[in-house]
């Protein structure tokens, strides 16, 4: 008899906690404004409560709308606020708990500090999400967060942003450009859609104007220089000195991470201003977030993480979107039920 069975026989089992952090950034009033991100997280909150048994008090919603609607208490989704919400969620977790993070907003790629160099060991760009204050949160940050998740708990991340494939550094690709489906040529986005993409040059220009840090003929500035000047210790761990020399060591939670990305690393995710097709809800939305809603609504029985991603790919293809959701996680988690659904609702307490 294993430990879980022995605990059940003694009658001292504890219901798993279901904890979620949902972040939607529309960047209203900026040149980078999107339309559907806040709608995405409110729709996901409703599904978490109705289908998966999350308690309202255990779902934190951060949006950048003017009124702070949706349980965020008026807290804007700055980089520091998002990190704090995620840190608090992980700190509450115990073995067996289910943690979920949904991000809907812009994504970007960040080149290596100091340049990538050449040769086969050339460092690649880092994937990042863009909070409302542009204080980037990178794949390295999510790796370090997952490494703090208690053994036996899971951290599922759904990111409806551009270049979101690989957003948990060093997580195993299950469905993506090299596994579970080949790339297809990029085609124009459907009418009424735009990419949730901020080019690195735009991020650099925005932060440069805010930081006031000037380049010299001796030093070509990287986005890291501006982030550290603006946000200090609240900047991404990727850009802190000790992390630049990290060796990729995983902690106890190395297999806790489950990433469902809206697209591949080299692709953009679509933001739909208004959809005339009822299949995507008829409101402004992210194409990937809406596809998740369609898949979950059509299949009330538990679906594995692999099934959710595969079915979302079909929905997006049928709708004419040329983005390919990906799955990054351990082999065991690929075939585990999405958000631990086992046919009964687990209630937080």
């Amino acid at each position: 008899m294993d430990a879980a069975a022995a605990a059940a026989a003694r009658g001292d089992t504890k219901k798993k906690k279901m904890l979620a952090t949902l972040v939607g950034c529309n960047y209203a009033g900026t040149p980078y404004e999107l339309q559907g991100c806040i709608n995405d997280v409110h729709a996901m909150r409703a599904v978490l409560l109705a289908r998966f048994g999350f308690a309202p008090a255990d779902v934190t919603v951060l949006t950048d709308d003017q009124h702070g609607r949706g349980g965020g208490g008026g807290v804007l989704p700055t980089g520091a606020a998002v990190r704090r919400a995620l840190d608090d969620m992980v700190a509450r977790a115990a073995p067996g708990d289910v943690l979920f993070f949904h991000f809907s907003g812009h994504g970007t790629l960040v080149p290596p500090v100091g340049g990538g160099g050449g040769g086969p060991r050339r460092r690649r760009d880092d994937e990042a999400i863009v909070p409302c204050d542009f204080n980037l949160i990178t794949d390295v940050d999510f790796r370090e967060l997952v490494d703090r998740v208690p053994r036996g708990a899971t951290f599922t991340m759904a990111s409806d942003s551009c270049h979101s494939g690989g957003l948990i550094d060093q997580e195993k690709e299950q469905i993506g450009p090299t596994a579970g489906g080949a790339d297809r040529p990029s085609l124009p986005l459907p009418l009424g859609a735009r990419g949730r993409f901020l080019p690195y040059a735009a991020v650099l220009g925005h932060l440069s104007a805010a930081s006031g840090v000037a380049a010299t003929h001796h030093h070509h500035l990287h986005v890291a220089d501006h982030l550290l000047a603006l946000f200090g210790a609240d900047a991404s761990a990727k850009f802190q000195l000790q992390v630049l020399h990290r060796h990729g060591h995983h902690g106890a939670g190395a297999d806790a991470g489950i990433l469902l990305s809206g697209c591949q690393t080299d692709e953009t995710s679509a933001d739909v201003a208004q959809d005339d097709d009822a299949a995507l809800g008829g409101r402004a939305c992210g194409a990937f977030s809406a596809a998740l809603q369609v898949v979950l609504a059509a299949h009330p029985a538990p679906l594995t993480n692999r099934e959710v991603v595969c079915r979302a790919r079909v929905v997006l293809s049928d709708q004419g979107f040329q983005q390919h959701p990906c799955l990054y996680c351990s082999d065991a988690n690929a075939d585990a039920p999405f958000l631990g659904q086992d046919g009964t609702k687990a209630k937080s307490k």
Side-chain angles (χ1 to χ4, degrees), residues 7-80:
R10 294 193 303 268
D12 58 357
T13 56
K14 184 179 70 172
K15 288 185 177 180
K16 61 187 175 185
K17 292 193 294 293
M18 312 284 285
L19 308 173
T21 299
L22 314 179
V23 175
C25 296
N26 275 352
Y27 316 92
T30 75
Y32 320 107
E33 184 169 357
L34 298 173
Q35 301 296 319
C37 303
I38 293 174
N39 288 341
D40 290 344
V41 297
H42 288 307
M44 181 57 72
R45 180 181 182 274
V47 172
L48 294 181
L49 270 56
R51 172 168 177 161
F52 294 97
F54 283 69
D58 290 329
V59 180
T60 298
V61 179
L62 301 178
T63 61
D64 63 351
D65 57 342
Q66 294 181 349
H67 306 292
R69 296 178 290 113
V75 178
L76 289 171
T78 63

Side-chain angles (χ1 to χ4, degrees), residues 9-346:
R10 294 193 303 268
D12 58 357
T13 56
K14 184 179 70 172
K15 288 185 177 180
K16 61 187 175 185
K17 292 193 294 293
M18 312 284 285
L19 308 173
T21 299
L22 314 179
V23 175
C25 296
N26 275 352
Y27 316 92
T30 75
Y32 320 107
E33 184 169 357
L34 298 173
Q35 301 296 319
C37 303
I38 293 174
N39 288 341
D40 290 344
V41 297
H42 288 307
M44 181 57 72
R45 180 181 182 274
V47 172
L48 294 181
L49 270 56
R51 172 168 177 161
F52 294 97
F54 283 69
D58 290 329
V59 180
T60 298
V61 179
L62 301 178
T63 61
D64 63 351
D65 57 342
Q66 294 181 349
H67 306 292
R69 296 178 290 113
V75 178
L76 289 171
T78 63
V82 174
R83 289 189 182 89
R84 185 163 52 248
L86 292 173
D87 287 342
D88 289 347
M89 184 169 69
V90 170
R92 291 183 58 193
D97 290 348
V98 173
L99 283 62
F100 180 58
F101 173 52
H102 184 124
F103 176 76
S104 190
H106 277 305
T108 193
L109 290 174
V110 182
V113 176
R121 296 181 62 84
R122 176 184 177 274
R123 289 184 292 162
R124 63 171 182 79
D125 293 348
D126 286 284
E127 300 83 14
I129 62 171
V130 185
C132 68
D133 64 347
F134 280 58
N135 186 4
L136 304 181
I137 303 177
T138 71
D139 57 338
V140 171
D141 297 306
F142 290 116
R143 175 76 266 161
E144 295 192 339
L145 186 76
V146 167
D147 284 351
R148 300 201 304 271
V149 173
R151 187 178 295 277
T154 56
F155 180 95
T156 300
M157 175 177 173
S159 190
D160 194 347
S161 55
C162 291
H163 307 301
S164 46
L167 258 173
I168 302 178
D169 187 35
Q170 302 182 40
E171 199 61 71
K172 182 177 180 179
E173 179 188 313
Q174 298 287 344
I175 300 174
T178 63
D183 291 338
R184 290 184 290 180
S186 294
L187 297 175
L189 289 170
L191 187 65
R194 62 169 293 188
R196 292 182 169 184
F197 168 57
L198 277 179
Y200 175 74
V203 176
L204 184 64
H206 177 90
L207 292 171
S208 175
S211 75
V213 178
T216 70
H217 68 281
H218 296 297
H219 182 51
H220 182 69
L221 290 179
H222 185 274
V223 70
D225 298 292
H226 302 294
L227 289 169
L228 291 171
L230 287 165
F231 304 110
D234 286 329
S236 169
K238 172 69 181 176
F239 308 126
Q240 307 296 333
L241 180 62
Q242 66 271 26
V243 177
L244 294 178
H245 301 288
R246 69 197 292 272
H247 298 289
H249 173 70
H250 287 338
D255 288 333
I258 303 167
L259 169 65
L260 289 76
S261 67
C263 62
Q264 296 176 170
T265 302
D266 60 348
E267 293 180 334
T268 60
S269 289
D271 185 70
V272 184
Q274 185 172 356
D275 179 46
D276 295 327
D277 191 324
L280 290 183
R283 301 193 303 168
C285 63
F288 175 58
S289 294
L292 288 179
Q293 298 289 328
V294 170
V295 169
L296 294 173
H299 302 279
L303 292 170
T304 67
N305 291 303
R306 188 187 305 277
E307 289 172 330
V308 170
V309 171
C310 287
R311 292 178 186 277
R313 281 189 163 209
V314 172
V315 170
L316 288 169
S317 178
D318 289 347
Q319 293 293 324
F321 292 96
Q322 300 300 315
Q323 64 190 77
H324 303 84
C326 301
L327 176 65
Y328 293 79
C329 61
S330 67
D331 293 342
N333 281 332
D335 296 312
F338 177 63
L339 297 183
Q341 186 182 20
D342 58 6
T344 60
K345 293 180 181 179

